[in-house]
Amino acid sequence: MSAKFNKTIITTISKELAPIKREIADIVESMSFMNKKFEDMMKAHELSREIITKLELENTDLKVTVEELNDRLANLEQQSRSNNIELQCVPENKKENVYNIVTQLARVVNCEIGERDILHCTRIAKVNPSSNRPRSIIVQLASPRMRDHILAATIKYNQANPQEKLNCSHLGYAGPKSPVFVAEHLSPANKALHAATRIKAREKNYKYVWVRNGRIFVRKTDGADYIQIRNKSSLSKIV
């Protein structure tokens, strides 16, 4: 009798527990499924992170390559101007002879220049059309050496005549003696970089900013080392 009663109790309890067991089994199965999904997601996340890291490295390499290519392009563009000088702030005249202006300037600064030394000269369009400054004159010379002769002669003349530096009156223009500048013919990129360099150097009280063979340099004081400004990133060196 007792055994039969115990069996009945066990059967009853088993029937009552059966749904719970099924629920537990379902929960275990769901947890296994979720665990597998989580593991798959973590693997996918790790793979994505590896891909992102790889892409970041490739992006960094590409930026370096682009910067190097831009520098090379800028150098080539500047080299194409290696024979040229730029005359700035020369007043304009409809009947002017640009060739005569160049030869007169050479005479003033005492630089011997022959007809064959000047390959081409012309005025160029303004970068800023609203500017009141006259259009610059670009002079293509026979060689970089001739360019350097004229630049050196102009510097020497201005140093020897600090109160009467090269100005438009020396070129035969009447009226106010506005200064005339002779400079290397910079590419648009280098011209913009030169302007940015002058602004930054002025802010940081640098004494010298100059251009040599299309390259831009700064020096803070007479005894300080020079710094070459190769690109916009180099401006951070001016401190």
Side-chain angles (χ1 to χ4, degrees):
M1 182 71 178
S2 176
K4 185 177 180 181
F5 179 74
N6 289 338
K7 185 177 180 180
T8 301
I9 292 175
I10 292 171
T11 302
T12 303
I13 292 173
S14 296
K15 287 181 179 179
E16 293 294 330
L17 291 177
I20 297 175
K21 288 181 178 180
R22 285 195 297 272
E23 289 180 8
I24 292 173
D26 290 342
I27 291 172
V28 170
E29 185 178 353
S30 296
M31 289 182 66
S32 298
F33 176 78
M34 293 299 293
N35 186 56
K36 186 177 183 305
K37 285 292 185 183
F38 178 75
E39 289 178 354
D40 291 343
M41 185 177 67
M42 289 301 295
K43 288 179 181 178
H45 175 70
E46 185 63 27
L47 180 61
S48 297
R49 191 166 63 176
E50 290 176 0
I51 292 173
I52 290 171
T53 301
K54 183 180 179 181
L55 289 173
E56 286 176 342
L57 291 173
E58 289 178 354
N59 186 49
T60 300
D61 291 341
L62 284 173
K63 284 182 177 179
V64 171
T65 301
V66 168
E67 188 169 332
E68 289 175 350
L69 288 174
N70 283 336
D71 287 345
R72 288 175 62 184
L73 180 61
N75 288 335
L76 288 172
E77 195 173 7
Q78 187 58 55
Q79 285 176 13
S80 69
R81 294 165 165 78
S82 61
N83 291 8
N84 301 358
I85 58 172
E86 180 175 349
L87 311 186
Q88 301 170 350
C89 300
V90 178
E92 294 190 53
N93 188 315
K94 290 182 179 180
K95 296 181 180 180
E96 69 185 9
N97 184 316
V98 180
Y99 177 85
N100 289 343
I101 292 174
V102 177
T103 54
Q104 172 62 17
L105 185 147
R107 280 194 293 270
V108 170
V109 299
N110 195 28
C111 178
E112 292 186 12
I113 186 169
E115 185 176 338
R116 293 182 179 179
D117 294 321
I118 302 175
L119 303 183
H120 183 66
C121 50
T122 186
R123 290 202 185 255
I124 58 172
K126 296 180 182 181
V127 176
N128 180 9
S130 62
S131 172
N132 292 325
R133 290 182 59 167
R135 291 177 299 159
S136 292
I137 297 173
I138 299 301
V139 185
Q140 183 183 13
L141 299 163
S143 67
R145 179 178 294 182
M146 179 53 63
R147 175 205 65 183
D148 291 342
H149 282 333
I150 294 181
L151 291 171
T154 303
I155 292 172
K156 184 177 180 180
Y157 177 86
N158 285 335
Q159 289 175 341
N161 301 275
Q163 304 302 321
E164 190 72 13
K165 292 183 178 181
L166 185 64
N167 60 70
C168 61
S169 69
H170 296 124
L171 305 180
Y173 292 90
K177 295 182 179 181
S178 57
V180 170
F181 304 99
V182 183
E184 292 187 28
H185 181 206
L186 296 179
S187 65
N190 276 346
K191 190 167 287 189
L193 182 61
H194 185 223
T197 300
R198 292 201 311 273
I199 292 172
K200 186 73 178 289
R202 194 179 305 119
E203 291 174 354
K204 299 299 181 179
N205 297 316
Y206 272 63
K207 192 172 182 180
Y208 302 106
V209 178
W210 73 97
V211 175
R212 180 67 175 170
N213 291 326
R215 293 175 293 180
I216 302 166
F217 300 91
V218 297
R219 178 179 280 127
K220 191 161 191 176
T221 59
D222 290 328
D225 293 333
Y226 69 81
I227 300 171
Q228 183 177 353
I229 306 301
R230 299 178 183 274
N231 46 46
K232 289 184 178 179
S233 299
S234 300
L235 291 172
S236 61
K237 297 178 181 179
I238 303 176
V239 294

